[in-house]
Amino acid sequence: MRLVLFLLTTFSLISQAQNIYPQDYFGDPLEVPLILSGTFAELRSNHFHSGLDIKTQQREGLRVLASAEGFVSRIKISHYGYGKALYITHPNGYTTVYAHLQKFAPEIEAYIKKRQYEAESYEIELFPSANELKLNKGEHVAYSGNTGGSGGPHLHFEIRNKEEHPLNPMLFGINVADTTKPTIKSIYAYALNDSSSVNNSTEKQKIRLIPLASGDYNTENIEAYGVIGIGVETNDRQNLAANSNGVYQIQSFLNGNQNFEINFQSFSFNETRNINQLIDYEHYTTTKHRIQKLFNHNNILSLYNPEFYNGNLVVKDSTNSIYKIRVVDFENNDAWVTINIKGNKTSTKKTEEKTPYYIYANQSTNLKSGNVAVHFYPNTFYEDFYMDFNVQNDTLTLHDDIMPTKNNFNINFNVSHFNDEDKDKLFVSRLVGRNKNYPLYTSTRREGDTLIASTKYLGSYTLTADTVKPSITPKNFRDEQWISNYRFLKVKIDDSGSGISNYRATINGKWILMEYDYKTKTLTFDFNDHISTETKNNFKLIVTDNVGNSSTFESVFYRKK
C-alpha cells in the first residue's frame, strides 16, 4: 500500500511538472471569488458537463470579463441550452466560452441586435471576423445571467482546444480552494456473465460501506465468483461550496495491480452521450442516483486511460483478493475504498426474461404491429437484449427506459383511420410521470398518412391530439393604457398541448425583438430598442404551437414622444 501511494504521489508531481497547458494565460472571468456550483465533466443528464459553473452570489448582472486577449468568434442566442453565449478565440489557439448570459457589453449588444432585427429573429448564431470585435484581457464582454437551460444565476465558463474539445479549465491555473476529500456515497457489485455471482446472487448487490476516521472507507467482505464489476457513487465538495460536484479521477487496483482508470480532463461533444453507458443507466432512471461503472461495457470514451480501461475482475473459487478504489479531486485530495473478496463458486445461474423480439446492437431492426412501426439503425444500442414491444390501439410500449441509446431511432404511426381535419392536430407523445400518464411532445413530422417521431428514449408512446390554441396574457399593461415610463413590455404565453413552436410580435406593423424565457413563459420587449416612436401604438402578437394552432393578441398602448 505504501508503495502504491508513493508511486501515485510521484506520478502526480511529475504530471504537474509536465503540464502542457499555459498557467498564467487565462484570468478569472468574474470579479468575485471563484466558487463553483458545477465542475468539469460532472455527470449530467445525457452529457458530461463541459465547463465550470461559477456562482454569481445568487444574482444576475455581474460583469463578465474576457479571460485573455482575442476576438469574438461566435455568438449564439437560443431559448434553451446555453441561452445567450459568447465565444472568444485567443492567439494561442484556445477558445473560451461564456454562457447563460443576461446581456452583452454595449458594443457587442448593439452588434447582435442589429443582426437580430435584420433577421427578424431572437434566436441567432453569428460568426464575426477576427477584425470586428477585438478584445483585451480583462475587458468587459457581458453580464452574468440565467438564460437558456440554467437552473439558477451563474456563469458557465469553458476552455476549448482547436478541435473544439472542452478541457478542464483548472488545468490552466484557474484555481478553486479545495482541501476536502471526495465522498463515497455507495458501492455496488455486478455479476457480468451467466456463470458469475456476488454474495450468491446474479443480481446487482449494494455493498455496505464502513467509513473510517481517516476519511477512507472499508466495506463488508463479499463473496463472488466469475467475472464481476464494481460501481461507485461519489462526489466532491470545494471549501466554500455546500453543493456536491464531480470528481477528477477514479482508479482501481486488484491485489496491488491497477486495472481501471478514468480521468475527467477532456472529451469531445460527439462522445458525451456515452455517459449513459458509463453509469448504471437503469439505476439512474429508476432512482436518479448515478453509479459510475469501474468496468468498460462496450463503451468508447476518451476519458478512459487506454492502459487501464477494462476493469473486469475475474474471481476464482477458494481465493482471497483485495480490491481498492481511489477517488481523487483536482487538488489531489483522495479517498480510498478497500473491499475484501473471497472466491466462492455457487450453482447460481443468471436468467434473462425472453421476448419474441431480440435486438442485435450492430444491426438494423424493424418492428411492426398494428398501425405502429419502429426502426432502429445499426449501433443504436450498446448491447444485444430482448425487447418488450407491444401495441394496443394507438399506444406503443417499447420496453422501459432502462437501456441507454447512442443515436436516435424512428417511431411511425399510421393515422389513415383518422379524418383529415384531425390528422393535422395529432402528434406523437412520450408518456412520462410516475404513472406514465403525462404526454410529452416528441419531435414529430407528417408524411401523408404517417406521423414520424424521432427519439432517443425507450418507453411508452401514444398519439395525442392538440386542438387548443396557445394562451396570451399581458403581464404589465392593459389595453388603451399610457405606459410612457415603462422600460419593458411583458407578455406571458403558454400552451398546454404540444408546446410553443414560434411567435412574432409587431408594433405599428414593425417587427420587434421579444426575448423568450421558457422557464417563466414570458416574452419581453425593451423600449430602448426605439421601435415605438408614435404616441399611439398598435401591438400585435401571434403565437403558434407545434401542431399549427395559432392565437393572435392585439392591444393599443400610448407613450409620449
Side-chain angles (χ1 to χ4, degrees), residues 49-311:
H49 187 232
S50 55
L52 302 179
D53 281 348
I54 305 172
K55 294 190 176 188
T56 55
Q57 302 174 338
Q58 298 181 329
R59 58 193 174 103
E60 300 182 42
L62 274 62
R63 283 163 37 100
V64 177
L65 312 178
S67 190
E69 73 166 300
F71 68 94
V72 177
S73 56
R74 182 185 179 195
I75 302 163
K76 186 173 183 181
I77 298 178
S78 56
H79 297 139
Y80 308 101
Y82 280 6
K84 295 184 179 182
L86 186 75
Y87 300 70
I88 301 174
T89 295
H90 306 281
N92 64 356
Y94 294 102
T95 296
T96 51
V97 183
Y98 313 76
H100 305 307
L101 304 171
Q102 180 192 61
K103 58 183 178 179
F104 302 89
E107 181 185 1
I108 302 173
E109 185 80 8
Y111 177 93
I112 297 166
K113 279 203 171 183
K114 180 177 184 294
R115 285 148 184 85
Q116 286 175 312
Y117 272 96
E118 288 173 349
E120 294 192 355
S121 175
Y122 170 71
E123 292 193 301
I124 198 167
E125 187 170 16
L126 304 170
F127 297 91
S129 69
N131 296 318
E132 288 186 274
L133 296 170
K134 293 183 179 180
L135 299 167
N136 295 316
K137 182 175 182 176
E139 186 172 342
H140 175 214
V141 295
Y143 295 90
S144 66
N146 187 32
T147 56
S150 170
H154 73 279
L155 175 68
H156 175 89
F157 176 71
E158 296 179 19
I159 299 178
R160 300 182 185 181
N161 63 16
K162 293 179 180 178
E163 288 73 39
E164 283 292 302
H165 294 176
L167 307 165
N168 191 332
M170 292 183 178
L171 294 168
F172 296 82
I174 304 293
N175 294 317
V176 178
D178 184 357
T179 58
T180 305
K181 289 187 173 192
T183 299
I184 311 300
K185 300 184 71 176
S186 61
I187 297 289
Y188 288 82
Y190 299 78
L192 297 183
N193 61 27
D194 294 345
S195 59
S196 302
S197 64
V198 178
N199 289 342
N200 297 317
S201 174
T202 61
E203 301 299 317
K204 174 178 64 184
Q205 298 292 300
K206 186 173 184 178
I207 310 303
R208 183 168 62 89
L209 273 170
I210 304 171
L212 303 177
S214 63
D216 295 329
Y217 304 79
N218 288 335
T219 72
E220 61 180 338
N221 297 340
I222 66 172
E223 294 186 351
Y225 178 76
V227 182
I228 70 169
I230 302 296
V232 59
E233 183 185 4
T234 182
N235 57 45
D236 186 47
R237 291 186 178 180
Q238 283 79 44
N239 287 5
L240 301 177
N243 49 289
S244 300
N245 295 136
V247 302
Y248 182 68
Q249 181 187 64
I250 306 177
Q251 302 168 313
S252 66
F253 306 83
L254 181 64
N255 296 328
N257 297 311
Q258 186 170 350
N259 73 332
F260 180 84
E261 181 176 314
I262 187 167
N263 299 289
F264 298 100
Q265 296 181 350
S266 175
F267 61 89
S268 65
F269 286 108
N270 63 11
E271 66 175 333
T272 191
R273 193 173 174 86
N274 289 337
I275 187 175
N276 288 335
Q277 186 67 354
L278 169 65
I279 65 173
D280 182 334
Y281 185 74
E282 179 178 358
H283 188 87
Y284 172 68
T285 58
T286 54
T287 70
K288 299 307 176 186
H289 290 273
R290 294 184 177 94
I291 303 169
Q292 297 185 59
K293 296 185 289 192
L294 306 186
F295 53 95
N296 185 355
H297 199 181
N298 303 321
N299 200 1
I300 300 174
L301 268 181
S302 61
L303 295 165
Y304 293 131
N305 183 332
E307 292 186 52
F308 310 107
Y309 70 92
N310 183 281

Side-chain angles (χ1 to χ4, degrees), residues 221-410:
N221 297 340
I222 66 172
E223 294 186 351
Y225 178 76
V227 182
I228 70 169
I230 302 296
V232 59
E233 183 185 4
T234 182
N235 57 45
D236 186 47
R237 291 186 178 180
Q238 283 79 44
N239 287 5
L240 301 177
N243 49 289
S244 300
N245 295 136
V247 302
Y248 182 68
Q249 181 187 64
I250 306 177
Q251 302 168 313
S252 66
F253 306 83
L254 181 64
N255 296 328
N257 297 311
Q258 186 170 350
N259 73 332
F260 180 84
E261 181 176 314
I262 187 167
N263 299 289
F264 298 100
Q265 296 181 350
S266 175
F267 61 89
S268 65
F269 286 108
N270 63 11
E271 66 175 333
T272 191
R273 193 173 174 86
N274 289 337
I275 187 175
N276 288 335
Q277 186 67 354
L278 169 65
I279 65 173
D280 182 334
Y281 185 74
E282 179 178 358
H283 188 87
Y284 172 68
T285 58
T286 54
T287 70
K288 299 307 176 186
H289 290 273
R290 294 184 177 94
I291 303 169
Q292 297 185 59
K293 296 185 289 192
L294 306 186
F295 53 95
N296 185 355
H297 199 181
N298 303 321
N299 200 1
I300 300 174
L301 268 181
S302 61
L303 295 165
Y304 293 131
N305 183 332
E307 292 186 52
F308 310 107
Y309 70 92
N310 183 281
N312 290 351
L313 311 179
V314 180
V315 181
K316 297 181 179 180
D317 191 28
S318 302
T319 60
N320 291 284
S321 301
I322 298 176
Y323 178 80
K324 290 183 177 290
I325 305 168
R326 180 182 184 241
V327 182
V328 192
D329 64 25
F330 187 82
E331 294 300 326
N332 214 37
N333 303 300
D334 59 0
W336 288 80
V337 182
T338 300
I339 306 173
N340 292 303
I341 304 173
K342 180 180 179 181
N344 181 24
K345 187 175 182 178
T346 67
S347 59
T348 304
K349 297 291 183 181
K350 181 177 289 190
T351 59
E352 185 176 11
E353 184 177 348
K354 296 183 179 181
T355 75
Y357 309 100
Y358 192 73
I359 305 299
Y360 292 95
N362 64 349
Q363 296 180 15
S364 175
T365 303
N366 291 291
L367 303 176
K368 190 176 187 311
S369 178
N371 64 321
V372 180
V374 180
H375 176 66
F376 298 111
Y377 299 94
N379 299 312
T380 296
F381 300 99
Y382 292 91
E383 56 192 284
D384 305 340
F385 68 103
Y386 285 98
M387 173 172 283
D388 181 18
F389 172 75
N390 182 50
V391 177
Q392 289 188 350
N393 299 321
D394 290 320
T395 299
L396 162 69
T397 299
L398 194 62
H399 216 70
D400 287 323
D401 183 24
I402 58 174
M403 301 296 294
T405 62
K406 297 181 186 179
N407 302 298
N408 281 25
F409 58 90
N410 289 338

